[in-house]
C-alpha cells in the first residue's frame, strides 16, 4: 500500500509540475536612481512572480527599499520588518482579448495588500488598447 501511495503521489506531483508550473516565471529587478533636484539616491529591489497560460496571466510583486540617502538610516533594507516600513504587495490579473475581438486589447484587474495596515488596497479594473 505504501508503494501505491508513493507512486500516486509522485505521478500527481509530476503531472502538476509539468502542467501548472510550466507557466510560472520569477523575475528580480534592482533599480538605482539619483534625483538631481532633491539630491537623493535610492536603490529599490522588486521581486515578482508571474503565471501565464494562453491569454490569461497573473502576477504578484513588491518594491523593497534597499537604500535611501535621505533617510535617517540610509541602508533601509534592514528596516523592512519594522512597523511602517514593510513593503506592499501588488497583484494583477490580465486577459488578452486580441484574438477574440480583432483589436490589440488587454483587460486587467489590479489590487494590492498593505502589510502594515493589514488591509487590501483599491481594486482597479481597466483596459489597454495598444496601437
Amino acid at each position: 500500500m505504501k508503494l501505491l501511495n508513493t507512486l500516486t503521489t509522485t505521478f500527481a506531483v509530476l503531472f502538476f509540475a509539468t502542467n501548472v508550473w510550466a507557466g510560472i516565471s520569477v523575475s528580480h529587478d534592482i533599480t538605482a536612481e539619483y534625483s538631481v533636484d532633491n539630491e537623493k539616491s535610492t536603490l529599490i529591489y522588486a521581486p515578482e512572480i508571474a503565471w501565464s497560460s494562453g491569454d490569461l496571466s497573473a502576477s504578484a510583486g513588491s518594491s523593497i527599499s534597499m537604500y535611501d540617502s535621505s533617510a535617517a538610516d540610509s541602508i533601509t533594507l534592514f528596516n523592512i520588518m519594522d512597523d511602517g516600513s514593510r513593503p506592499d504587495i501588488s497583484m494583477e490579473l490580465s486577459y488578452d482579448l486580441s484574438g477574440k475581438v480583432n483589436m490589440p486589447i488587454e483587460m486587467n484587474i489590479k489590487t494590492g495588500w498593505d502589510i502594515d495596515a493589514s488591509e487590501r488596497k483599491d481594486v482597479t479594473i481597466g483596459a489597454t488598447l495598444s496601437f
Side-chain angles (χ1 to χ4, degrees), residues 1-79:
M1 189 65 172
K2 283 188 174 187
L3 179 61
L4 179 61
N5 286 341
T6 304
L7 289 174
T8 304
T9 303
T10 303
F11 177 73
V13 167
L14 289 174
F15 178 79
F16 181 75
T18 56
N19 287 318
V20 174
W21 292 98
I24 291 184
S25 63
V26 178
S27 65
H28 305 273
D29 295 330
I30 295 179
T31 304
E33 293 182 335
Y34 177 74
S35 174
V36 176
D37 293 334
N38 297 323
E39 296 181 357
K40 175 182 171 181
S41 299
T42 57
L43 188 64
I44 306 289
Y45 168 57
E48 182 180 69
I49 185 166
W51 172 80
S52 63
S53 178
D55 295 333
L56 183 66
S57 63
S59 65
S62 186
S63 292
I64 300 169
S65 175
M66 296 174 64
Y67 177 81
D68 185 348
S69 64
S70 66
D73 183 13
S74 58
I75 299 179
T76 55
L77 179 63
F78 302 120
N79 302 334

Side-chain angles (χ1 to χ4, degrees), residues 56-131:
L56 183 66
S57 63
S59 65
S62 186
S63 292
I64 300 169
S65 175
M66 296 174 64
Y67 177 81
D68 185 348
S69 64
S70 66
D73 183 13
S74 58
I75 299 179
T76 55
L77 179 63
F78 302 120
N79 302 334
I80 64 170
M81 298 311 276
D82 295 345
D83 199 24
S85 298
R86 296 181 192 115
D88 294 340
I89 298 171
S90 59
M91 295 165 270
E92 180 178 354
L93 180 67
S94 60
Y95 187 76
D96 187 6
L97 292 170
S98 299
K100 298 178 182 34
V101 294
N102 247 357
M103 293 177 70
I105 297 177
E106 180 179 277
M107 301 292 295
N108 61 48
I109 299 172
K110 298 177 184 179
T111 189
W113 184 258
D114 186 339
I115 295 174
D116 286 320
S118 294
E119 64 183 19
R120 179 184 50 81
K121 294 187 162 270
D122 188 28
V123 175
T124 58
I125 299 172
T128 303
L129 173 64
S130 302
F131 55 93

